[in-house]
Amino acid sequence: MSHDLPPLNALRAFEATARLNSVSQAAEQLHVTHGAVSRQLKVLEEHLGVSLFSKDGRGLKLTDAGLRLRDVSAEAFERLRGVCAELTQSTADAPFVLGCSGSLLARWFIPRLGRLNADLPDLRLHLSAGEGDLDPRRPGLDALLVFAEPPWPADMQVYELVSERIGPVMSPHYAGFARLQAAPASALLDEPLLHTTSRPQAWPTWARQKHLEPQALKFGQGFEHLYYLLEAAVAGLGVAIAPEPLVAEDVRAGRLVAPWGFDETAARLALWLPKRAADGRAGQLAQWLRHELSQPSQSPRLHSK
């Protein structure tokens, strides 16, 4: 006789049959056929080397061995059901912790939180800001909203939301505004450009798309994070570069102007979460994000010159 545990499907079939005292009812509850339950019962008896049921007229009667296994399996499955229910409820009650950059959080997400809470009242979203140090593989974070280029990490489930579009922006109060607003993109080669160490590739990427030499760019004041860079641009300190969603509200309100429009890059705004920790709430959030990002009112259309 084997000392290994019997197959779980066989034990489930037995527990249901013994509890309901009917193979047919057990099959209905388990969403399988009568024959499938009968086969699992036979597998279990062969594994244990004992008979669990005996004929009782047209029905079945538990043997002494069957009675012993019924009591133990009933208790075990009831405990399993209870623990699984607790775990499911615990997951449903826990907040969904989303990491994103401070600039994305402050300039795009927070203005939309009221709408998100109204549209997804059961999500219980908790936002965690960081710059390059957020990783959903680590405890404490369920997912990450990030601008990044494919290919995606093999251990991540990735919801692509929208292509990244970047462009230079400046305030109407900037000293060089009148000179630059109608100038070609090449005029920025003579401008001390505001830049950020968190996105050093942004200006060179834009220059290549405009058929300009990245080496010809001149950099002025630098900032550690994109949020500070954009605040400096709004304050009229110079020309900055940013993803379109992060400055769309400022452009519409007239705080910033984008004379050269926005150009698509190879990057995507995407929602990442580990495949090992799949969470149905991520799909709901991704769908909501796609809808918000697709709204014309959230992304003013600007034409390149």
Side-chain angles (χ1 to χ4, degrees):
M1 180 177 66
S2 173
H3 294 288
D4 296 330
L5 279 174
L8 181 58
N9 283 341
L11 284 172
R12 288 183 68 223
F14 170 80
E15 187 274 337
T17 302
R19 173 166 42 85
L20 299 169
N21 198 32
S22 168
V23 173
S24 298
Q25 291 183 40
E28 183 177 352
Q29 185 176 94
L30 297 174
H31 305 290
V32 297
T33 64
H34 184 286
V37 173
S38 296
R39 286 192 294 273
Q40 290 296 338
L41 295 177
K42 183 177 181 181
V43 167
L44 184 59
E45 289 183 327
E46 290 178 350
H47 182 95
L48 298 174
V50 296
S51 295
L52 300 172
F53 294 94
S54 62
K55 289 287 186 178
D56 185 21
R58 300 182 61 181
L60 293 175
K61 179 180 178 181
L62 286 164
T63 63
D64 290 342
L67 288 170
R68 289 180 61 191
L69 187 59
R70 178 199 63 183
D71 294 341
V72 173
S73 63
E75 179 182 357
F77 275 93
E78 187 59 33
R79 291 182 63 185
L80 280 171
R81 292 187 190 99
V83 171
C84 289
E86 290 174 5
L87 291 174
T88 301
Q89 187 62 41
S90 175
T91 299
D93 291 343
F96 186 82
V97 184
L98 176 67
C100 64
S101 69
S103 54
L104 186 57
L105 175 61
R107 290 188 152 266
W108 192 88
F109 226 119
I110 287 178
R112 292 163 176 79
L113 271 181
R115 197 151 57 238
L116 183 144
N117 291 332
D119 293 342
L120 301 176
D122 298 327
L123 181 60
R124 294 192 59 208
L125 185 68
H126 178 81
L127 294 163
S128 178
E131 300 291 341
D133 57 347
L134 296 172
D135 190 338
R137 301 175 184 88
R138 299 173 184 170
L141 204 63
D142 293 307
L144 179 66
L145 185 62
V146 63
F147 284 104
E149 293 186 18
W152 309 120
D155 61 344
M156 287 288 171
Q157 180 178 357
V158 176
Y159 295 89
E160 293 190 24
L161 304 175
V162 68
S163 296
E164 181 187 53
R165 287 165 53 83
I166 62 172
V169 292
M170 60 182 172
S171 167
H173 303 296
Y174 174 50
F177 177 76
R179 172 173 47 84
L180 292 172
Q181 65 172 332
S186 58
L188 290 184
L189 294 178
D190 298 320
E191 202 70 19
L193 304 171
L194 301 179
H195 61 98
T196 172
T197 56
S198 65
R199 292 177 65 92
Q201 78 286 358
W203 276 117
T205 297
W206 175 83
R208 283 190 288 269
Q209 290 179 324
K210 295 299 184 182
H211 306 291
L212 303 174
E213 287 294 331
Q215 295 84 355
L217 294 170
K218 298 176 182 178
F219 295 104
Q221 179 69 52
F223 297 87
E224 185 178 1
H225 301 309
L226 182 59
Y227 177 78
Y228 305 137
L229 172 74
L230 296 180
E231 288 298 302
V234 171
L237 299 183
V239 183
I241 191 165
E244 185 179 13
L246 272 61
V247 293
E249 297 289 340
D250 293 296
V251 170
R252 183 166 49 257
R255 291 185 294 269
L256 291 173
V257 178
W260 303 277
F262 296 90
D263 294 286
E264 187 172 314
T265 74
R268 305 285 186 270
L269 181 61
L271 184 67
W272 293 15
L273 70 158
K275 289 181 178 178
R276 58 173 173 73
D279 191 319
R281 294 174 294 179
Q284 290 181 303
L285 179 58
Q287 185 176 1
W288 185 89
L289 289 168
R290 287 194 189 104
H291 178 266
E292 284 293 308
L293 289 160
S294 71
Q295 299 306 299
S297 61
Q298 309 302 329
S299 183
R301 181 169 297 178
L302 299 166
H303 299 282
S304 301
K305 291 188 177 181

